[in-house]
Amino acid sequence: MFVFFLCNLSLVPAAASKNKVKGSQGQFPLTQNVTVVEGGTAILTCRVDQNDNTSLQWSNPAQQTLYFDDKKALRDNRIELVRASWHELSISVSDVSLSDEGQYTCSLFTMPVKTSKAYLTVLDVKYLKEEDANRKTFTVSSTLDFRVDRSDDGVAVICRVDHESLNATPQVAMQVLEIHYTPSVKIIPSTPFPQEGQPLILTCESKGKPLPEPVLWTKDGGELPDPDRMVVSGRELNILFLNKTDNGTYRCEATNTIGQSSAEYVLIVHDVPNTLLPTTIIPSLTTATVTTTVAITTSPTTSATTSSIRDPNALAGQTGPDHALIGGIVAVVVFVTLCSIFLLGRYLARHKGTYLTNEAKGAEDAPDADTAIINAEGSQVNAEEKKEYFI
């Protein structure tokens, strides 16, 4: 955007300081931005409140050294030294042109080097001089043409006129700029981590001049799918409670007479985190039984020791039934059962041997097996009696 101003009086070129570059007090360079009309003279000043004999330097936008302390480095007759000391280095640039516009750097050669920037703005001004037929009345017109942006809204532009009849009091005319610009838009969520079941508010922040019209909310390029649950209030979109169907891209559009702008927000609804309670891991009965049985087989005294052995799979700090004790009891039961089976087997084997022996002894004279056993027992008694009698 270009702004055109016409001042029907002479315009005196002058340097105008706008913004002061922030810097800490002490050994740190301080500079000022400078604005000057084309053909005028710009004064660039760099100051240091406290300086322990450290050199100062001015450089142009091309990073060419203009002055190093009081020594001129660039051969340009338009650039002159104004003041050089340990606390200040000021230079002047006369007959400035549009090519001189840019960022100039003041460097303080400490360790490390400290710098400060000053921006030189050059305004394009055109002059027009008119006179009457008697050459006694003159009209001088000055035209200022420059590019502006939204940051220039509300800035004052001053036209100053000097004349010998004004008794050293110049006349000044001021114009405050009113810059119209398209809206700037951004979406601000009420929470950075939206979760299922929770509410969410999306705020569409729009700035522009003139003031943007009411914003328009859309989802995935279409209308909001659930107006009862998605309520638009002014510049806010309020989703009462979130679910996974709300995932998508939400768009906010703002419009004024200059243009239209928009912003997008991608919504991802996260699951509500589950709080899990610690669980007890119970080992299988088979593992406990095998481990305890081996210990009992190795040593008869380990049955008391195994009751104090903890299951390595059990979690620390948890209480519960003593699985080692249960395994020991089961092992004892199994052991007793095996012993009983063993003794019963030996008894049956001996009984069977006796039966066969007695049957063989009486088999010669007996008609059947029972008679043979009876005869055999009788023979055994007789034999014992005979043996006792013989002794």
Side-chain angles (χ1 to χ4, degrees):
M1 179 184 294
F2 288 90
V3 177
F4 176 82
F5 287 99
L6 178 62
C7 181
N8 290 322
L9 293 172
S10 63
L11 180 64
V12 179
S17 299
K18 294 294 182 181
N19 300 320
K20 185 175 181 179
V21 178
K22 296 181 180 179
S24 60
Q25 297 296 326
Q27 197 168 1
F28 198 92
L30 301 175
T31 60
Q32 293 176 328
N33 295 334
V34 177
T35 301
V36 64
V37 296
E38 187 178 17
T41 300
I43 306 296
L44 300 174
T45 300
C46 179
R47 291 187 176 89
V48 181
D49 293 335
Q50 299 177 8
N51 190 0
D52 52 356
N53 300 338
T54 303
S55 297
L56 289 169
Q57 173 185 289
W58 269 113
S59 303
N60 63 10
Q63 296 303 312
Q64 296 174 319
T65 302
L66 303 179
Y67 264 88
F68 185 83
D69 288 337
D70 58 350
K71 300 177 179 60
K72 188 174 183 178
L74 186 66
R75 293 182 179 180
D76 190 336
N77 295 331
R78 301 179 304 126
I79 302 174
E80 299 292 338
L81 179 65
V82 177
R83 186 178 296 104
S85 67
W86 295 118
H87 299 283
E88 180 181 341
L89 178 60
S90 297
I91 62 174
S92 65
V93 182
S94 60
D95 193 20
V96 295
S97 62
L98 294 177
S99 61
D100 294 320
E101 187 174 78
Q103 187 169 261
Y104 290 74
T105 304
C106 175
S107 302
L108 177 65
F109 284 87
T110 56
M111 292 297 292
V113 177
K114 299 177 181 177
T115 61
S116 181
K117 309 291 184 179
Y119 197 89
L120 174 61
T121 302
V122 181
L123 305 179
D124 184 10
V125 179
K126 299 177 181 179
Y127 295 95
L128 177 62
K129 181 180 178 180
E130 297 177 353
E131 59 184 29
D132 62 0
N134 298 325
R135 294 185 177 182
K136 293 183 178 180
T137 303
F138 301 91
T139 300
V140 178
S141 299
S142 176
T143 302
L144 175 63
D145 188 7
F146 62 100
R147 183 182 296 274
V148 298
D149 58 24
R150 65 185 62 196
S151 63
D152 296 316
D153 186 39
V155 174
V157 177
I158 299 175
C159 174
R160 189 179 72 177
V161 176
D162 290 315
H163 194 267
E164 59 183 12
S165 64
L166 298 177
N167 298 324
T169 303
Q171 291 188 4
V172 177
M174 183 180 68
Q175 176 68 45
V176 178
L177 300 181
E178 183 177 352
I179 310 299
H180 289 192
Y181 52 91
T182 57
S184 60
V185 183
K186 66 178 179 179
I187 298 176
I188 304 174
S190 60
T191 175
F193 194 78
Q195 297 180 5
E196 192 171 9
Q198 295 181 349
L200 176 66
I201 299 177
L202 299 179
T203 302
C204 181
E205 186 180 275
S206 59
K207 296 179 181 179
K209 195 168 186 178
L211 183 67
E213 300 173 359
V215 299
L216 174 64
W217 284 99
T218 59
K219 180 191 176 186
D220 297 331
E223 297 181 354
L224 298 178
D226 192 350
D228 294 334
R229 193 169 50 86
M230 299 180 178
V231 181
V232 176
S233 176
R235 302 181 184 277
E236 294 183 350
L237 171 60
N238 189 355
I239 304 178
L240 300 182
F241 51 89
L242 295 171
N243 57 51
K244 292 299 181 65
T245 61
D246 297 328
N247 290 339
T249 301
Y250 292 79
R251 183 184 180 92
C252 170
E253 294 182 358
T255 306
N256 62 9
T257 56
I258 304 301
Q260 181 187 80
S261 296
S262 62
E264 292 184 346
Y265 173 79
V266 178
L267 173 60
I268 300 177
V269 179
H270 300 271
D271 294 329
V272 178
N274 295 325
T275 304
L276 298 177
L277 296 176
T279 58
T280 302
I281 301 176
I282 302 176
S284 62
L285 184 59
T286 305
T287 304
T289 302
V290 172
T291 303
T292 309
T293 302
V294 172
I296 291 174
T297 304
T298 304
S299 174
T301 59
T302 54
S303 59
T305 305
T306 54
S307 61
S308 62
I309 299 176
R310 293 187 176 271
D311 188 354
N313 295 325
L315 297 178
Q318 296 180 346
T319 61
D322 193 337
H323 302 292
L325 180 59
I326 296 175
I329 294 174
V330 173
V332 171
V333 172
V334 172
F335 180 76
V336 172
T337 302
L338 293 176
C339 292
S340 301
I341 293 173
F342 178 76
L343 295 176
L344 181 60
R346 286 180 59 91
Y347 172 77
L348 293 177
R350 293 183 61 185
H351 184 271
K352 182 178 180 181
T354 304
Y355 173 83
L356 293 176
T357 303
N358 294 335
E359 183 180 7
K361 290 181 180 180
E364 296 179 356
D365 301 329
D368 52 24
D370 292 336
T371 305
I373 293 174
I374 294 173
N375 294 338
E377 290 178 353
S379 301
Q380 184 178 5
V381 173
N382 295 330
E384 289 178 352
E385 290 177 356
K386 292 179 178 179
K387 185 177 182 180
E388 185 177 357
Y389 177 79
F390 177 77
I391 289 174

